[in-house]
């Protein structure tokens, strides 16, 4: 029995928390979930006071494994893949594995305009906001077009996930796909089909259900929306 503890933020908003959580859930790794609510990111906030003793960077997710603390979403997934080599978190075939890691690296440090203008909000359906952003922000349009092209290039070879079976790559792109769906961003039929496939994944479905149950309006995460 593992003593993994995974510290995460609000499931409705926290894209970085979502990624390793999906990996651990999908691959049946036993862990204790520790949710730290986003109140503010001020130094004296409850969030920071809870997180900083575990992670001096003051961010989530954090994986605690005994005396070891892993404080980055990608490093958490790599750590787990190393700890559980019998579990195929990455594609088994070398070329596919390298492609998956390249794709994850792009997600980890790319798509800045999508991140800025289309923040994840699972419980809200905001097509009017998406329409305005796509009209007024050409950088977002370009990133979405690139995303659609690159993902569909891999999906042409698969009936389901990016590399046939669910991998870390799918977990990393799931939050971005939630954004595209909830802002009703125009995308190709193939990418839309992939998003529907992701939503049928039991781990993704559980995260979404938990996010919908939070009913926690965090104003700093919703500058574009007025609470009803």
């Amino acid at each position: 029995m593992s003593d993994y503890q995974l510290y995460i933020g609000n499931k409705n908003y926290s894209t970085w928390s979502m990624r390793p959580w999906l990996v651990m859930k999908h691959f049946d790794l036993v862990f204790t979930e520790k949710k730290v609510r986003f109140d503010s990111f001020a130094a004296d906030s409850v969030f920071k006071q809870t997180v900083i003793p575990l992670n001096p960077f003051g961010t989530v997710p954090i994986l605690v494994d005994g005396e070891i603390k892993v404080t980055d979403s990608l490093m958490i997934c790599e750590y787990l893949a190393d700890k559980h080599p019998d579990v195929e978190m990455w594609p088994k075939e070398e070329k596919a594995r390298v492609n998956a890691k390249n794709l994850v690296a792009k997600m980890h440090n790319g798509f800045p305009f999508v991140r800025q203008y289309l923040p994840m909000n699972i419980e809200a359906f905001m097509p009017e906001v998406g329409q305005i952003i796509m009209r007024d922000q050409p950088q977002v349009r370009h990133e979405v077009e690139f995303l659609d092209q690159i993902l569909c290039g891999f999906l042409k070879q698969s009936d389901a996930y990016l590399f046939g079976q669910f991998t870390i790559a799918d977990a990393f792109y799931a939050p971005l796909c939630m954004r595209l769906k909830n802002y009703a961003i125009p995308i190709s039929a193939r990418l839309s089909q992939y998003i529907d496939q992701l939503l049928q994944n039991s781990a993704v479905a559980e995260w979404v259900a938990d996010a919908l149950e939070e009913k926690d309006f965090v104003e700093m995460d919703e500058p574009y929306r007025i609470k009803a």
Side-chain angles (χ1 to χ4, degrees):
M1 182 69 68
S2 170
D3 61 350
Y4 290 139
Q5 296 181 339
L6 184 67
Y7 286 77
I8 64 172
N10 290 51
K11 289 183 177 177
N12 192 51
Y13 305 114
S14 186
T15 61
W16 294 114
S17 297
M18 185 180 186
R19 295 176 170 107
W21 190 98
L22 291 181
V23 169
M24 298 185 81
K25 277 287 181 176
H26 179 85
F27 292 106
D28 295 322
L29 303 182
V30 178
F31 68 99
T32 301
E33 176 187 307
K34 301 282 190 178
K35 187 166 74 172
V36 186
R37 180 183 181 270
F38 292 152
D39 53 349
S40 82
F41 296 131
D44 60 350
S45 66
V46 174
F47 177 82
K48 288 292 188 183
Q49 292 299 308
T50 303
V51 168
I52 285 176
L54 298 168
N55 174 14
F57 297 104
T59 59
V60 289
I62 306 163
L63 178 71
V64 179
D65 181 15
E67 296 298 315
I68 295 174
K69 299 178 181 66
V70 192
T71 59
D72 172 86
S73 59
L74 178 52
M75 290 310 302
I76 290 172
C77 294
E78 290 280 24
Y79 177 80
L80 294 170
D82 287 343
K83 287 272 288 189
H84 302 273
D86 55 319
V87 180
E88 292 184 12
M89 301 183 200
W90 293 111
K92 187 174 183 179
E93 192 271 324
E94 183 181 31
K95 181 179 178 181
R97 185 168 63 254
V98 171
N99 283 337
K101 291 192 174 189
N102 285 337
L103 205 55
V104 167
K106 177 61 181 176
M107 183 68 258
H108 199 51
N109 64 13
F111 304 103
F113 296 105
V114 168
R115 297 180 196 276
Q116 177 180 353
Y117 290 104
L118 302 175
M120 188 173 80
N121 187 334
I122 288 175
E123 67 89 20
F125 182 61
M126 299 171 286
E128 67 288 346
V129 176
Q131 186 177 31
I132 292 169
I133 295 302
M134 292 296 280
R135 182 194 70 194
D136 296 346
Q137 302 298 332
Q139 305 98 323
V140 176
R141 292 199 304 272
H142 295 156
E143 287 185 354
V144 170
E145 289 167 3
F146 174 75
L147 171 76
D148 200 325
Q149 178 183 7
I150 201 75
L151 291 189
C152 285
F154 290 105
L155 292 169
K156 285 179 182 177
Q157 307 168 44
S158 171
D159 292 331
Y161 299 112
L162 291 167
F163 297 92
Q165 302 299 315
F166 187 93
T167 69
I168 291 170
D170 297 289
F172 263 71
Y173 279 82
L176 195 150
C177 287
M178 297 302 101
R179 290 170 155 114
L180 298 180
K181 181 176 178 62
N182 282 33
Y183 290 93
I185 301 301
I187 53 176
S188 68
R190 185 64 189 93
L191 184 54
S192 181
Q193 181 184 0
Y194 171 64
I195 294 174
D196 290 340
Q197 176 72 29
L198 277 178
L199 289 168
Q200 292 174 34
N201 177 279
S202 60
V204 176
E206 184 176 345
W207 178 279
V208 169
D210 290 349
L212 295 177
E213 284 298 313
E214 284 180 343
K215 303 185 187 306
D216 183 12
F217 182 88
V218 180
E219 187 172 357
M220 67 177 180
D221 282 306
E222 303 206 29
Y224 45 80
R225 201 161 72 102
I226 299 173
K227 185 177 181 182

